[in-house]
Amino acid sequence: MSHDPLLTRLTSAFAEVPGAAAVVLGGSRARGGGHAASDYDIGLYFKAAIPLDTERLLVAAKEIADDPAATAVTKIGEWGPWIIGGAWLSVGGQKVDLLYRNADAVEAVMESCRAGIITMDYQPGHPHGFCSAIWMGEIAYCQPLHDPWTLIARLKSIAQPYPRPLRDALIRRFHWEVLFSIENAELAIARGEQTHVAGCIYRSLACAAQVLFALNQRYLINEKGALLEAAQLPLTIPLLAEQVNEVWRLFGSGALALACEMSREIARQLQALTQSSGGPP
């Protein structure tokens, strides 16, 4: 990370923006799973008492963007209460995503998560929804680029080690819905509602991923690739990826009932794994 000239350039540009209390690298690059074409996910943390100066941020972004005239940044809150706001940039031919975070709100949510209190909210770009524990994972996995007041370092002490109450809360919240969603899908088959069936199957599988991550005390911060990652975890369902592929192959061929039955098999295996791993009732 320290030898990445683009990160050095981005840090230099954004660290001087008024209100930027900390700048972090997130996403796959922070977790070590990035590749040459991966986005640079940059988090800008600010304190509620000193909000991020988005006008100065725009000036800074234009100075480094490949196309200054097309560069724009949002106001705080423009993307909702969870994504908050940010910008999509191209810098040196690389895609750079900026995301704002209110550090005070993040800390409050993290304390709730540590106590086993989570929320799940509708959020564009997150088909399964935005689970509040994502903010815990963002802090746990991010790499500080600029943290002069050790804001991120202090928040990391809340996220690590992974709290047992959070593990149990996530399992309780999502495990029951794995089978419930399949049952809803089966009811819709007779009405020929393929879109609804697909949505229910997706929700069942997304909930299964949440449970598997919780059983392994790993933070799930992105639905994309979650099932593939879950298939590689120490505690997982054998041949999970292959079974998921078969679910969607059956669905695509019109065998909706068989797709639901395969989903039920995944649910059965997850139930057995949860019970053997000491999951909450």
Side-chain angles (χ1 to χ4, degrees), residues 17-37:
V17 173
V23 182
V24 307
L25 174 67
S28 61
R29 288 183 179 273
R31 300 195 302 276
H35 49 79

Side-chain angles (χ1 to χ4, degrees), residues 37-170:
S38 294
D39 298 350
Y40 282 78
D41 295 303
I42 304 297
L44 302 178
Y45 284 76
F46 63 90
K47 299 289 287 181
I50 311 175
L52 191 67
D53 187 333
T54 54
E55 292 185 2
R56 290 284 295 276
L57 177 62
L58 177 59
V59 172
K62 285 178 176 290
E63 289 177 350
I64 61 172
D66 295 336
D67 186 357
T71 298
V73 304
T74 74
K75 295 186 180 301
I76 294 171
E78 190 168 322
W79 288 347
W82 290 107
I83 305 300
I84 310 298
W88 296 305
L89 308 174
S90 176
V91 181
Q94 294 279 355
K95 186 178 177 184
V96 177
D97 294 339
L98 294 184
L99 291 173
Y100 310 154
R101 291 289 183 265
N102 179 333
D104 298 293
V106 168
E107 182 171 1
V109 166
M110 291 179 69
E111 291 289 3
S112 292
C113 287
R114 184 160 65 173
I117 302 168
I118 57 173
T119 61
M120 188 72 167
D121 293 290
Y122 172 80
Q123 175 63 51
H126 291 256
H128 187 222
F130 196 99
C131 182
S132 57
I134 289 175
W135 278 2
M136 283 279 270
E138 287 180 345
I139 287 292
Y141 298 143
C142 77
Q143 296 186 21
L145 303 173
H146 173 74
D147 190 21
W149 297 287
T150 64
L151 170 67
I152 302 302
R154 185 171 59 81
L155 291 176
K156 279 182 176 290
S157 70
I158 302 174
Q160 300 290 6
Y162 191 105
R164 177 66 184 238
L166 175 61
R167 169 193 182 272
D168 293 348
L170 288 166

Side-chain angles (χ1 to χ4, degrees), residues 174-238:
F174 293 111
H175 187 268
W176 70 271
E177 198 177 348
V178 174
L179 183 58
F180 180 76
S181 294
I182 298 168
E183 292 171 343
N184 279 330
E186 290 168 338
L187 291 173
I189 291 175
R191 299 191 297 270
E193 297 178 0
Q194 290 194 16
T195 300
H196 187 71
V197 174
C200 289
I201 291 176
Y202 173 78
R203 191 158 188 90
S204 174
L205 294 172
C207 287
Q210 291 277 7
V211 173
L212 288 169
F213 271 73
L215 285 172
N216 285 273
Q217 299 184 62
R218 304 281 183 91
Y219 291 108
L220 195 163
I221 62 174
N222 198 326
E223 296 167 51
K224 292 181 292 184
L227 282 164
L228 289 176
E229 188 175 345
Q232 305 300 318
L233 294 173
L235 292 174
T236 193
I237 296 169

